[in-house]
Amino acid sequence: MKDKNYNHIKAFLEYPCRMAEDLLFPRRCPVCGGVVMPKGRLICPACLKQLSFVSSPVCMKCGKEIESREQEYCEDCLRRKKSFERGFALLNYDNRAAVSMAAVKYHNKREYLDFYARAAALRFEKQFKQAGIQVIVPVPVHASRLKARGFNQAAVLAKKLSAELGIPWEELLVRVKKTDPQKGLGSSDRLKNLRGAFEAKETVRTWERVLLVDDIYTTGSTAEICSRVLLGAGVKQVFVFAACIGHGA
């Protein structure tokens, strides 16, 4: 176990049990997929220690781990200007995180997002409050994908994070264009692919500082395009949270 991760791991191990609920509906672990032991927790203690939590030092823009405290920004954020104020990420996107996220998206394991929301609240609540975030906004999916999958994992995560933090959530963005798959595209091509894909709702004008939420941050193209749309619609500042972030983003 990394010493720098001890505090929030310890917080999970001490989190109050929910035994009555778990007797009726045994909770599955977001890492191993088995019934969480001991019961009443959101994740198996042994599995928690296997996760790679993002640790300092991190990029002051996107929130990705960097090698030296002498740096302020990662290479990508130095090369490409970002429209959002700052990003926060919980886990490094390694094989364990990838399997867990895929289970959420493609096998309807939405209960796993209880863990990610609780972990994010434990780790970042102070920073979110200091930033003055007023509303949590999920990255939307296209209507065709929503129909096929039955849910938007970013919206589920936003709703759960809202409950943990006491900050309202609202779907202020709409995905109006079905884009080509982003996988395999470079950063520039991803941005081109996403241009015109999102629109803001009229109610966006109600808010000045928003937290844009997604499950995974890779190149940051989705966060960038969504931030531009929100800022163009009248939002003053956009912050970004992703459950997982890639080292190569």
Side-chain angles (χ1 to χ4, degrees):
M1 183 193 305
K2 295 181 180 179
D3 288 342
K4 51 195 168 185
N5 288 334
Y6 179 72
N7 286 337
H8 55 272
I9 288 178
K10 184 171 181 285
F12 266 113
L13 296 183
E14 294 176 347
Y15 187 62
C17 292
R18 301 151 18 114
M19 292 296 292
E21 183 178 341
D22 280 1
L23 285 173
L24 294 174
F25 307 102
R27 178 173 291 278
R28 296 283 172 171
C29 174
V31 176
C32 70
V35 174
V36 174
M37 297 299 293
K39 290 186 177 181
R41 310 299 185 183
L42 298 180
I43 186 171
C44 300
C47 292
L48 179 66
K49 297 173 187 178
Q50 296 176 33
L51 293 175
S52 176
F53 286 88
V54 173
S55 301
S56 296
V58 299
C59 173
M60 296 302 291
K61 179 57 71 170
C62 71
K64 176 171 53 246
E65 282 186 1
I66 52 179
E67 293 183 1
S68 171
R69 294 185 183 277
E70 302 301 315
Q71 295 175 254
E72 284 189 295
Y73 305 106
C74 67
E75 291 184 9
D76 180 64
C77 289
L78 285 172
R79 286 197 310 268
R80 301 179 183 87
K81 181 176 177 171
K82 302 296 191 295
S83 298
F84 54 84
E85 291 294 315
R86 186 169 181 181
F88 303 88
L90 185 67
L91 299 177
N92 292 305
Y93 191 54
D94 60 7
N95 289 337
R96 285 189 179 88
V99 169
S100 184
M101 288 292 103
V104 172
K105 284 202 276 192
Y106 306 119
H107 300 289
N108 198 21
K109 299 296 185 181
R110 283 178 270 185
E111 70 178 285
Y112 291 0
L113 296 176
D114 290 341
F115 160 73
Y116 291 107
R118 177 64 182 165
L122 282 170
R123 186 134 190 212
F124 297 121
E125 181 175 16
K126 183 177 179 180
Q127 291 96 314
F128 292 161
K129 295 292 176 68
Q130 287 176 339
I133 291 164
Q134 299 167 315
V135 66
I136 300 171
V137 179
V139 170
V141 296
H142 190 265
S144 61
R145 182 168 294 177
L146 184 62
K147 182 177 180 181
R149 189 177 296 163
F151 67 99
N152 172 12
Q153 70 280 358
V156 176
L157 179 58
K159 182 178 180 180
K160 293 179 183 294
L161 191 56
S162 169
E164 292 285 351
L165 295 170
I167 299 173
W169 78 285
E170 188 173 345
E171 293 179 293
L172 296 178
L173 292 170
V174 179
R175 192 154 191 159
V176 294
K177 184 175 80 172
K178 187 177 181 181
T179 55
D180 295 329
Q182 294 280 80
K183 191 173 181 179
L185 298 178
S187 296
S188 298
D189 288 334
R190 286 186 178 215
L191 283 172
K192 291 177 183 176
N193 188 39
L194 289 171
R195 284 192 184 121
F198 303 97
E199 289 183 358
K201 296 181 179 179
E202 283 294 322
T203 50
V204 75
R205 302 179 185 277
T206 309
W207 309 101
E208 293 187 348
R209 291 175 297 281
V210 309
L211 180 66
L212 181 70
V213 169
D214 207 356
D215 56 339
I216 304 166
Y217 182 112
T218 49
T219 65
S221 302
T222 301
E224 174 61 22
I225 293 295
C226 287
S227 295
R228 291 179 189 178
V229 172
L230 288 166
L231 292 167
V235 170
K236 302 299 183 188
Q237 292 180 313
V238 178
F239 297 86
V240 173
F241 168 74
C244 306
I245 192 166
H247 275 296

